[in-house]
Amino acid sequence: MPRLRTLLAAALALAASSAQAQDESPRSLVHGLEVLEDPTGALTIEDVTRPPWSARFGAMPEGRLLGRSRSAFWLRTRLEHLDQQDGWRVELAHPEADDVRVYWPRPDGTFEALETGDRTPFATRPLPHPTFVFPVPAGDSVTLHARVQMEGGVQIPLRLWTASAFDRHARDLALGLGGFYAFVLALALYNLFLFFTTRERGYLAYVLFQLSVVGFAAAFEGHGAMYLWPNAPGWAHVAGPVLLSLTYAFGTLYLHEMANVQAFAPRLALVMRVVAGLDFALAVASTFAYEIATAALEVASLLAIATAPVPIVVSLRRGWTPSRYLLAGWLAMGPAAALGALRATDQIEESFLTEHGFEIGVAVEALLLSFALAERIRVLRRAKEDAEADALEMQRKAARAQEEERRRIAADLHDGVGQQLQVLIARADAADDGAEVSALARESVAEIRRVARDLHPHELDRLGLAEAVRRVAERTLEAAGVEPEIVVEDVDGLLPKERWIDVYRALQEALANVVRHADATSAIVALRREADALVLRVEDDGRGIAADVEPGLGTASLHERARLLGGALDVESAPGDGTRVALRVPLG
């Protein structure tokens, strides 16, 4: 909700700027503008204000574009009915103009020249503003001469403002765009933190994409030259196409990662990686082949807008739920970018949406793509949990199969070999000299019964978990000379029978540790229900375990039993203070 409120505040600030502009709209100078093309760029203000060049000005073509040209263009218009109660401003609302020169006539017939552009330091601008703004000299009317030159498409969005209206416009625009920058950068910073926490590549792709978008917006709106690189005119000239190319590159990689394209459509994933590589190459080319790169970017922009839904739809058809947010993000950004492209090529009239739709679309998209990241992490985490649960179930089945095999072998030993030895004992007892054979056979029977009991505890099947735990604890501890204290409740109904064996084996391992390593005189074994868990505790008064001692195989086996049971194992010990082992198995 805080992020949504920030987004709404930025949008309202931009809307307020638009509403204010409607109340005090600037006067467009495009329709009354006269134009003279100077292919050589050699004409001066003196040349174009005298015959024969002064007579060669013609009407501005329909719209505000003069096409792609390396020529210099001279502009001329008459500003009339200038109310002197307020000052006036002429604005060329195209921050990427390379060379802008404005000339105002002086009474002595000379001209005041104001020269600036994105290839000169920001300090050359008459007024500190992201676009090119020039104060109009005092007087009821004045003739404006201007010279503009720019690589790529030549745009002449020339407007006349009153000083007070322009100041309010500049203030409101700064507030709205400042909110936009802050919102998107805050999301990028938050997701950068998540990347460092999770090392999930989708977060890094998102951060780089949003940083590129904000950088391009700053360059496009003129705030980059004003605040970020005021003394780097070389970079200011190429920043727009470089950052736009990076936006497409990182956006493609983000979409590749987020839509899980590699899993659903490997060939499409390869195509997307190639496209991203071409976008990176276009970013590099923009630094030395500006005109060619900007022409290629116009095509790339249309292709990016048109083809972005393809991987989204592919993944949606495979049931990939994060792509719902990707589609919503494209619906927020795609139409706004298309409107901006149409306005940039003079296909539609200027409006609030064409002027600020890009920023609003980016802000909404940034929020939705952040949601897509969260959904992707949720889906991947759920898939990981399901895979771990499947693996655990397979391990449980393998353990049960192992126990069944042990049960069979134990039964064969007890009922087969054991019975045959009993027959041998009976015959040896009947013989006159069979005492030695009989004794050896009795020892063999006892050993076979011990092995059979270790292979599978039949008392677990006959007596139940609680009684089996009691008996094995008493037998093991007393045989080792350790005084037992046993507290066992009736817990047989708390766990399924197939899980009893894991509790029993865990107890055997814990008792073996006491007998072999504890050097204890007494031990407590408890099996009871505690809250929503079955808890097995084994505590001894032995020598304990030092903190720097690595856990042995027995402890590792206990942890594995706990994992198979879906429970947790706690081991507490200190030198001279005994050891306390607690196995908690959740119920239900």
Side-chain angles (χ1 to χ4, degrees), residues 513-524:
N513 286 342
V514 173
V515 171
R516 295 171 187 167
H517 310 297
D519 194 20
T521 59
S522 64
I524 301 174

Side-chain angles (χ1 to χ4, degrees), residues 526-578:
L527 182 65
R528 60 166 72 92
R529 176 172 184 165
E530 296 181 10
D532 293 329
L534 176 66
V535 180
L536 171 67
R537 298 182 184 276
V538 177
E539 302 179 6
D540 66 68
D541 61 356
R543 58 190 175 188
I545 306 172
D548 58 348
V549 174
E550 289 291 329
L553 183 61
T555 303
S557 177
L558 280 170
H559 280 288
E560 180 64 17
R561 291 288 178 183
R563 195 178 67 83
L564 289 174
L565 286 164
L569 181 74
D570 294 324
V571 179
E572 296 179 3
S573 184
D577 193 32

Side-chain angles (χ1 to χ4, degrees), residues 15-207:
S17 172
S18 176
Q20 186 71 47
Q22 291 175 359
D23 294 338
E24 299 175 327
S25 299
R27 187 191 309 175
S28 175
L29 301 179
V30 174
H31 299 297
L33 206 58
E34 295 177 296
V35 181
L36 171 64
E37 185 173 0
D38 176 13
T40 64
L43 296 178
T44 65
I45 183 62
E46 288 77 15
D47 293 331
V48 300
T49 54
R50 297 169 185 169
W53 297 105
S54 61
R56 296 183 182 179
F57 278 83
M60 176 77 177
E62 187 67 26
R64 60 177 187 169
L65 297 181
L66 295 175
R68 288 187 171 275
S69 174
R70 295 186 177 182
S71 299
F73 288 89
W74 285 89
L75 314 173
R76 183 176 67 190
T77 189
R78 184 71 177 171
L79 308 180
E80 297 180 326
H81 310 296
L82 302 179
D83 184 0
Q84 294 307 302
Q85 291 184 355
D86 199 354
W88 293 83
R89 306 283 186 265
V90 168
E91 178 192 16
L92 178 63
H94 184 53
E96 296 180 301
D98 299 338
D99 186 1
V100 183
R101 307 177 190 180
V102 168
Y103 299 90
W104 301 114
R106 293 192 179 106
D108 61 0
T110 60
F111 291 87
E112 177 189 3
L114 302 174
E115 300 181 6
T116 186
D118 77 349
R119 290 198 171 189
T120 61
F122 185 81
T124 62
R125 304 192 187 192
L127 293 174
H129 190 264
T131 60
F132 303 103
V133 184
F134 306 88
V136 179
D140 182 63
S141 63
V142 65
T143 298
L144 165 69
H145 284 85
R147 179 186 183 276
V148 297
Q149 192 171 13
M150 56 192 79
E151 283 188 274
V154 180
Q155 299 186 38
I156 314 294
L158 210 58
R159 302 187 291 192
L160 178 65
W161 296 81
T162 65
S164 59
F166 179 79
D167 290 343
R168 282 189 288 271
H169 161 75
R171 179 198 63 204
D172 293 341
L173 189 63
L175 175 63
L177 289 175
F180 159 73
Y181 296 139
F183 177 77
V184 179
L185 288 175
L187 284 177
L189 183 62
Y190 172 71
N191 284 279
L192 181 62
F193 170 77
L194 293 179
F195 165 71
F196 285 127
T197 302
T198 65
R199 298 296 175 180
E200 172 62 39
R201 289 184 301 179
Y203 285 113
L204 182 60
Y206 174 89
V207 170

Side-chain angles (χ1 to χ4, degrees), residues 270-540:
L270 177 61
V271 171
M272 294 179 72
R273 291 194 294 271
V274 171
V275 169
L278 292 175
D279 288 328
F280 283 123
L282 197 56
V284 175
S286 298
T287 62
F288 60 85
Y290 183 92
E291 191 171 352
I292 297 174
T294 53
L297 269 174
E298 290 181 0
V299 178
S301 298
L302 295 175
L303 289 176
I305 295 170
T307 59
V310 174
I312 298 174
V313 172
V314 169
S315 59
L316 275 175
R317 293 182 64 182
R318 299 296 184 89
W320 185 248
T321 56
S323 289
R324 295 177 298 180
Y325 294 101
L326 296 178
L327 182 60
W330 178 84
L331 291 174
M333 179 62 185
L339 286 175
L342 291 173
R343 178 54 189 152
T345 56
D346 229 25
Q347 302 298 311
I348 59 176
E349 292 295 323
E350 187 171 304
S351 66
F352 173 73
L353 282 179
T354 60
E355 190 172 358
H356 301 301
F358 174 77
E359 287 82 6
I360 295 175
V362 166
V364 174
E365 181 194 46
L367 184 62
L368 292 171
L369 295 188
S370 182
F371 290 160
L373 272 171
E375 176 67 9
R376 181 176 187 272
I377 296 301
R378 188 194 68 80
V379 170
L380 292 178
R381 183 181 293 118
R382 178 63 181 272
K384 179 182 178 181
E385 291 173 352
D386 290 344
E388 289 176 348
D390 291 343
L392 183 60
E393 182 59 28
M394 291 181 64
Q395 286 183 309
R396 286 173 177 169
K397 288 180 178 179
R400 286 197 291 270
Q402 184 184 56
E403 287 297 334
E404 286 300 319
E405 182 65 12
R406 284 182 163 193
R407 185 198 303 269
R408 184 189 64 77
I409 294 173
D412 289 347
L413 286 174
H414 183 273
D415 299 335
V417 179
Q419 292 299 323
Q420 291 175 1
L421 287 174
Q422 290 290 353
V423 171
L424 179 61
I425 291 171
R427 291 180 178 179
D429 288 342
D432 295 336
D433 58 350
E436 184 176 349
V437 174
S438 177
L440 181 61
R442 291 180 191 278
E443 290 178 5
S444 298
V445 169
E447 180 64 15
I448 288 174
R449 286 177 176 173
R450 185 191 65 77
V451 171
R453 185 168 58 247
D454 289 342
L455 279 171
H456 181 78
H458 288 283
E459 59 191 5
L460 193 63
D461 300 327
R462 298 194 310 271
L463 306 175
L465 176 61
E467 187 60 28
V469 164
R470 183 192 304 278
R471 292 196 179 191
V472 72
E474 288 179 348
R475 182 171 60 246
T476 304
L477 293 175
E478 288 176 352
V482 178
E483 182 180 351
E485 179 181 342
I486 301 173
V487 181
V488 177
E489 297 179 356
D490 184 8
V491 296
D492 289 3
L494 299 182
L495 287 179
K497 287 187 177 182
E498 62 268 18
R499 300 179 69 184
W500 289 359
I501 187 64
D502 290 313
V503 177
Y504 186 90
R505 294 297 187 196
L507 174 61
Q508 283 184 311
E509 196 64 55
L511 292 174
N513 286 342
V514 173
V515 171
R516 295 171 187 167
H517 310 297
D519 194 20
T521 59
S522 64
I524 301 174
V525 176
L527 182 65
R528 60 166 72 92
R529 176 172 184 165
E530 296 181 10
D532 293 329
L534 176 66
V535 180
L536 171 67
R537 298 182 184 276
V538 177
E539 302 179 6
D540 66 68

Side-chain angles (χ1 to χ4, degrees), residues 96 215-216 219 229 234-244 290:
E96 296 180 301
F216 167 70
W229 45 81
W235 167 247
H237 175 62
V238 300
V242 169
L243 291 168
L244 183 58
Y290 183 92

